[in-house]
Amino acid sequence: MIRWAVLAKEVNKVRFDCLSQFMTSSGIENELTYVSANSETFADELQRCQNEFDQIRIGPPFGEIACEHHEMITSTMMTLKSVDSLVKQENHWWLRSSSFHGIQEFLNRRGESVDLSGALLVVGSGAAARIACAAFVKLGFRQVSIASAFDEQGRAMIEDFKRFYFDVTFNFVPKDELVLLPGIYSVIINTTPYIKSNELLPELYFFNFLMRPGLVCDLSMIPPVTPLLQEAEAIQIPTLGGYQFASCSDLVWVNWITGKKLSVDKYMAQLKPALDAASSEED
């Protein structure tokens, strides 16, 4: 029996409930617990989780903060400065990012080439943006723009990455300059939430900055096919949704803690309908 916890302020329970059920149906006995925290209680709750559970997933907004509360950190995690898992191996806890490895694995298994001659546009500057940016840079992008509503956070992210990726050109794009971008981008990946107060999203729907055919990715999972993806699909631009990346990421994590490789396609076939149902309830 694997006893695991999701430590977060806000958590996608649909996703992790589905993962727990999929693990059980695959012969992996497990017990999932949700642990809520805020910035003041996070350190104490993290320590309690390490004492009480076998494995830990870290949710928003603690992806970056978690790195400050742990000494066992690899060079990859030093670069990312963002974590979504604490993996216990041989009585030691290791900071890991299943999302970083899951994005790479999904792009590799997709079997279609991504045009690396164009630039990459990452929308957002939080933990998810750091992970997505690093994963696509590892794929081979050498020109990257970061667009964010939070100028200071976005510029700080770029300065961090410049210390590790010497052969990559980074530049910051303020919110009001998104519509002015030249059409040099072969991939856009949105890491900002699908909420009414998000002022960045409406600026993306024109796709004037995207080389064709291009690729539009959105890490939001509810709804599984976001308005951004719908707009892209309406004009025949290839898309990838957050639930697709999450499916790979979750099973990367399962492999880390059990050594078992489960079917991404089978898990995805269960996750997407569950997210669709949750989206309908919100509407």
Side-chain angles (χ1 to χ4, degrees):
M1 169 72 75
I2 298 173
R3 298 179 66 250
W4 59 292
V6 177
L7 174 58
K9 183 178 181 180
E10 298 177 2
V11 64
N12 185 342
K13 289 188 176 181
V14 177
R15 171 187 179 180
F16 292 113
D17 284 349
C18 189
L19 176 58
S20 179
Q21 293 164 12
F22 185 71
M23 290 169 66
T24 298
S25 67
S26 301
I28 303 171
E29 293 187 17
N30 72 100
E31 180 181 279
L32 166 61
T33 301
Y34 293 104
V35 179
S36 179
N38 56 42
S39 57
E40 295 178 353
T41 63
F42 174 75
D44 289 339
E45 291 296 343
L46 178 62
Q47 185 60 57
R48 182 173 72 84
C49 286
Q50 288 179 267
N51 293 335
E52 296 182 9
F53 298 99
D54 302 315
Q55 301 293 340
I56 306 169
R57 298 292 293 267
I58 304 292
F62 303 124
E64 295 171 89
I65 299 174
C67 293
E68 302 170 7
H69 295 275
H70 212 273
E71 296 180 355
M72 303 289 280
I73 184 166
T74 64
S75 58
T76 298
M77 298 311 303
M78 288 179 64
T79 304
L80 294 179
K81 289 187 177 179
S82 180
V83 57
D84 62 24
S85 309
L86 259 73
V87 176
K88 191 174 186 179
Q89 294 177 328
E90 298 180 352
N91 294 319
H92 292 290
W93 289 96
W94 293 90
L95 296 174
R96 303 290 295 270
S97 173
S98 62
S99 298
F100 175 67
H101 295 280
I103 289 173
Q104 294 179 70
E105 184 170 312
F106 185 79
L107 292 171
N108 290 333
R109 75 187 293 276
R110 185 168 171 260
E112 298 177 28
S113 60
V114 176
D115 183 2
L116 299 175
S117 66
L120 169 69
L121 176 61
V122 178
V123 182
S125 54
R130 299 181 74 95
I131 290 169
C133 182
F136 275 84
V137 164
K138 188 162 185 179
L139 192 68
F141 280 94
R142 291 296 173 262
Q143 186 173 351
V144 179
S145 294
I146 309 294
S148 176
F150 306 100
D151 288 19
E152 185 175 345
Q153 185 181 40
R155 295 182 190 280
M157 173 179 161
I158 287 175
E159 291 306 310
D160 276 347
F161 278 167
K162 282 181 177 178
R163 294 166 49 211
F164 296 99
Y165 301 114
F166 304 110
D167 56 345
V168 179
T169 300
F170 293 94
N171 73 286
F172 179 74
V173 181
K175 178 189 67 176
D176 55 359
E177 294 183 15
L178 267 174
V179 294
L180 304 176
L181 289 176
I184 62 171
Y185 298 91
S186 56
V187 174
I188 170 179
I189 180 161
N190 174 51
T191 69
T192 64
Y194 176 59
I195 54 177
K196 291 182 179 179
S197 59
N198 188 340
E199 298 179 354
L200 286 173
L201 289 178
E203 307 295 332
L204 303 178
Y205 294 153
F206 300 102
F207 302 114
N208 54 300
F209 46 77
L210 195 66
M211 296 167 53
R212 300 303 173 90
L215 175 64
V216 175
C217 309
D218 195 335
L219 295 191
S220 295
M221 282 190 282
I222 297 179
V225 182
T226 63
L228 178 66
L229 299 181
Q230 291 175 19
E231 292 289 336
E233 290 171 359
I235 52 176
Q236 286 76 55
I237 298 175
T239 64
L240 291 175
Y243 74 93
Q244 294 170 293
F245 290 123
S247 296
C248 256
S249 299
D250 285 346
L251 297 195
V252 163
W253 176 76
V254 170
N255 179 250
W256 286 343
I257 67 171
T258 69
K260 294 185 177 181
K261 281 188 170 289
L262 304 184
S263 169
V264 172
D265 292 331
K266 288 181 179 178
Y267 175 50
M268 196 184 302
Q270 294 184 23
L271 179 59
K272 186 175 184 295
L275 294 169
D276 277 325
S279 180
S280 298
E281 290 175 6
E282 288 190 0
D283 294 339

